[in-house]
Amino acid sequence: KAGVTQTPRYLIKTRGQQVTLSCSPISGHRSVSWYQQTPGQGLQFLFEYFSETQRNKGNFPGRFSGRQFSNSRSEMNVSTLELGDSALYLCASSLLWGGDEKLFFGSGTQLSVL
Amino acid sequence: KNQVEQSPQSLIILEGKNCTLQCNYTVSPFSNLRWYKQDTGRGPVSLTIMTFSENTKSNGRYTATLDADTKQSSLHITASQLSDSASYICVVSAVDGNKLVFGAGTILRVKS
């Protein structure tokens, strides 16, 4: 059974640009959540999607957005990139949504903003 | 404020030795506590998940304990191996809002 797939693996962008990251969940999983990981802040929750609807949202500015498609695949978009957006972006999938679900993480997309 | 604090920040041990990592939390109302292992350049992998009623859970050489009264958890690694070198992250789930609160992690390095 294939795991969670994130693409691309690495990205280099410049300030002011926008970026779209992709996440394909484990087959049969209907929930996808996104996280930002930096050395200084650790893992921080961005948002969670289930059945194409955002169910939960963390404390990030509106420049961070996401969506989920009918096949459960999800994309995350960051507009007007800032230097501080440089981070490892992880997505995780689970069967259902909510705090009791076991999460399966992808290997992440390493974003560098220059 | 919901917080999860882990100690130590980093740890170096010799191969074959045991070690214990600590996690203190103030998340309320509590739903469950998880330990994850994250290898460099990879996503976290779940080791254990414990609910309020569970005070011990094992996964091979990894044993997690939970004291819900003192809001403390520990992860004990027995007979460490070089492959145990990783970051170990404690995560607590709050019932209210279904949100996860992450600790900053403990970086473990096992030396031969």
Side-chain angles (χ1 to χ4, degrees), chain A residues 2-113:
Chain A
V4 177
T5 304
Q6 290 188 247
T7 57
R9 188 75 177 89
Y10 302 95
L11 261 181
I12 299 176
K13 293 286 187 179
T14 56
R15 280 182 300 172
Q17 287 187 309
Q18 74 164 20
V19 66
T20 299
L21 312 182
S22 179
C23 174
S24 293
I26 291 172
S27 178
H29 285 193
R30 296 170 60 192
S31 176
V32 172
S33 51
W34 288 89
Y35 305 84
Q36 182 194 67
Q37 187 174 35
T38 59
Q41 297 292 322
L43 268 160
Q44 296 184 86
F45 170 74
L46 281 157
F47 27 65
E48 180 178 19
Y49 286 88
F50 178 79
S51 292
E52 302 176 66
T53 302
Q54 188 179 91
R55 303 290 176 162
N56 254 320
K57 190 177 188 306
N59 298 321
F60 277 81
R63 300 185 296 108
F64 292 81
S65 63
R67 58 178 177 169
Q68 186 181 34
F69 302 95
S70 58
N71 61 358
S72 294
R73 190 178 71 85
S74 177
E75 287 182 348
M76 191 192 97
N77 185 274
V78 188
S79 63
T80 319
L81 284 167
E82 301 176 358
L83 295 179
D85 296 333
S86 295
L88 178 66
Y89 290 88
L90 293 160
C91 83
S93 76
S94 56
L95 280 169
L96 302 173
W97 73 286
D100 292 338
E101 290 295 308
K102 184 175 180 178
L103 300 177
F104 296 83
F105 285 86
S107 293
T109 294
Q110 184 67 54
L111 172 64
S112 297
V113 182

Side-chain angles (χ1 to χ4, degrees), chain B residues 2 11 15 30-31 34 37 41 61 80 100-101:
Chain B
N2 289 331
L11 182 62
E15 187 179 13
F30 173 88
S31 177
R34 309 151 185 238
K37 177 189 179 190
R61 295 181 296 101
S80 61
L100 300 179
V101 184

Side-chain angles (χ1 to χ4, degrees), chain B residues 11-111:
Chain B
L11 182 62
I12 302 174
I13 63 173
L14 288 175
E15 187 179 13
K17 298 296 186 182
N18 303 334
C19 68
T20 300
L21 314 180
Q22 300 290 341
C23 173
N24 297 336
Y25 62 93
T26 58
V27 178
S28 182
F30 173 88
S31 177
N32 61 69
L33 184 145
R34 309 151 185 238
W35 283 94
Y36 284 88
K37 177 189 179 190
Q38 185 175 19
D39 293 318
T40 302
R42 311 291 295 180
V45 173
S46 177
L47 294 175
T48 62
I49 301 177
M50 289 184 290
T51 60
F52 184 88
S53 60
E54 298 173 298
N55 54 27
T56 302
K57 186 163 272 190
S58 292
N59 179 355
R61 295 181 296 101
Y62 301 99
T63 299
T65 64
L66 173 64
D67 186 333
D69 291 331
T70 61
K71 298 187 177 180
Q72 295 179 325
S73 176
S74 65
L75 180 69
H76 186 75
I77 304 174
T78 304
S80 61
Q81 301 175 359
L82 296 178
S83 59
D84 292 330
S85 295
S87 177
Y88 291 84
I89 303 170
C90 175
V91 186
V92 181
S93 174
V95 173
D96 183 23
N98 289 313
K99 290 183 180 175
L100 300 179
V101 184
F102 292 85
T106 292
I107 299 173
L108 173 66
R109 181 182 166 201
V110 180
K111 293 174 55 177

